[in-house]
Amino acid sequence: MIEEKFTVIDAHCHIYPEKIVDRAVAGTDAFYSTHAACRGVASELLEIGDRIGIDRFVVQSVATTPKQVSSINEFIAASVATAPDRFTGLGAAHPDSESQDAVIRQIKELGLHGIKIHPDIQGFAIDDPRMMRVYELCEEERLPILMHTGDYRYDFSNPNRLLPVLKAFPELIVIGAHFGGWSVWDDASRVLAEFPNLFVDCSSTFPFANNDLDLGERLIARYGAERVMFGSDFPMWSPERELETFMKLKLSDAERRMILSENAKRVYKIN
C-alpha cells in the first residue's frame, strides 16, 4: 500500500473489451516473449487501485488496422465514462486512416486527453510522412502523444526516427514510453534528453533491465524528474510490483510527487 502522502497516477495502461482481451494480450506476449502478469480489463485496474492505493489510470489501446481506430476510441471513452474519477483516456491513431482530421476530431469530441501509437507493432516509422498530419493536428490542439519508443530489433521507433519529429514540431507534447527507448535506454536518453517537449515514462523498463535501480536513477537524473511519469504497462506487468520497484529508487519526496502524479496531471490536463 502506497503512503497516503503520495497521489499515484499510473500513466501507461492498456485495456481491452472482454470479447477480445485474451487474444490481444496473447499477441503482445508473443511480440515481446513475455507472459502477462494481469488479464487486461478495466475492472481489474480498479480493483488493483483500490487495494494498493493507485488513484487514477491513463488507459489506452493500439489500433493494428485503420478500421479499428474509431471503435477503440469509442471503447476507451465508454470505459472512462464508467469511472471518470479513476480513468483518463487516450485515443488511437493509425497512419493509414482515411482522414486524420476526422480521427483527431473524434478524439476531441469523445473527451479523450491525447493519443497512443505503437510504431513497432503498427509497423511504421515515427517519422513516416503519413503521420505528419497527425502530429500537426496534435500540436495545434495541444493533444499529447504517448509513443512506444525504442526497440533494438527494428528501425521504427528508435531515436533516429523520433528526432526529426521533435525538431519539426517543437510545440508537440510527446511522451516517450519506456524512458524514451525500450531496450536502448541509455543511448536514447543521451540523444533525447535535450528536447523540452519530450516527456518519458518508466514503464516496461525495470522488468526487462533486471530491476536495475541504478539505471532508473540515472535516466531520471538525465531527463529530470519534472519530465518523468510513473507507468506500469498493465497488463504486461503488475502495477503493484512496478510501484514497489519504483519506490526503491533513491529520490526525494518532491521528485516522487512529480513522477507519481504531478507530471501526468500537467501533461494530460487532469484536474
Side-chain angles (χ1 to χ4, degrees):
M1 189 77 178
I2 192 73
E3 297 176 66
E4 290 186 4
K5 64 181 176 180
F6 296 113
T7 298
V8 181
I9 297 174
D10 186 338
H12 193 134
C13 299
H14 300 268
I15 58 172
Y16 307 97
E18 183 68 38
K19 65 181 180 180
I20 69 161
V21 61
D22 294 336
R23 186 167 71 252
V25 172
T28 303
D29 280 347
F31 193 81
Y32 288 106
S33 300
T34 54
H35 182 74
C38 303
R39 182 143 188 269
V41 292
S43 59
E44 185 180 18
L45 272 182
L46 295 175
E47 184 277 325
I48 291 170
D50 290 342
R51 178 163 49 82
I52 68 172
I54 297 180
D55 301 277
R56 183 175 285 270
F57 301 91
V58 179
V59 294
Q60 70 242 212
S61 191
V62 174
T64 55
T65 71
K67 291 181 179 179
Q68 295 175 347
V69 170
S70 181
S71 60
I72 286 175
N73 293 340
E74 291 172 355
F75 164 71
I76 294 295
S79 299
V80 171
T82 67
D85 59 332
R86 305 293 298 281
F87 290 150
T88 295
L90 304 183
H94 192 281
D96 291 327
S97 290
E98 184 175 340
S99 171
Q100 302 296 0
D101 292 62
V103 170
I104 300 303
R105 183 166 58 250
Q106 182 197 36
I107 287 170
K108 293 282 291 183
E109 290 173 351
L110 289 172
L112 302 177
H113 288 231
I115 72 170
K116 167 63 188 291
I117 59 173
H118 195 309
D120 295 276
I121 285 179
Q122 292 176 287
F124 69 90
I126 286 176
D127 59 346
D128 189 311
R130 294 174 295 168
M131 290 298 292
M132 293 303 119
R133 182 58 178 162
V134 175
Y135 304 146
E136 180 183 3
L137 290 167
C138 287
E139 186 178 51
E140 290 175 0
E141 298 289 347
R142 302 298 293 172
L143 279 174
I145 301 181
L146 173 58
M147 302 180 177
H148 171 93
T149 46
D151 195 320
Y152 71 93
R153 302 171 297 176
Y154 308 107
D155 186 30
F156 294 122
S157 65
N158 289 319
N160 60 300
R161 296 297 188 179
L162 180 53
L163 281 170
V165 174
L166 294 174
K167 291 176 180 178
F169 301 94
E171 300 301 318
L172 176 66
I173 302 169
V174 175
I175 303 93
H178 326 310
F179 277 118
W182 179 80
S183 73
V184 292
W185 297 285
D186 263 321
D187 289 344
S189 65
R190 292 189 188 99
V191 173
L192 299 173
E194 67 178 274
F195 291 90
N197 56 326
L198 176 69
F199 292 76
V200 297
D201 71 37
C202 67
S203 68
S204 276
T205 295
F206 298 111
F208 285 108
N210 298 315
N211 289 322
D212 185 346
L213 300 183
D214 288 339
L215 172 67
E217 291 163 5
R218 185 165 67 248
L219 295 174
I220 290 170
R222 199 167 284 159
Y223 285 108
E226 71 280 2
R227 291 199 285 147
V228 180
M229 302 181 207
F230 171 74
S232 68
D233 216 354
F234 169 95
M236 182 181 286
W237 308 111
S238 159
E240 181 173 15
R241 180 66 59 84
E242 291 303 286
L243 189 55
E244 288 175 354
T245 301
F246 172 79
M247 293 303 291
K248 294 176 183 177
L249 297 173
K250 296 175 183 177
L251 300 170
S252 67
D253 280 356
E255 290 171 322
R256 293 189 196 281
R257 288 190 181 95
M258 284 189 279
I259 296 169
L260 288 173
S261 64
E262 291 174 4
N263 296 334
K265 288 180 179 179
R266 177 162 49 97
V267 168
Y268 290 119
K269 299 180 175 61
I270 300 171
N271 297 324

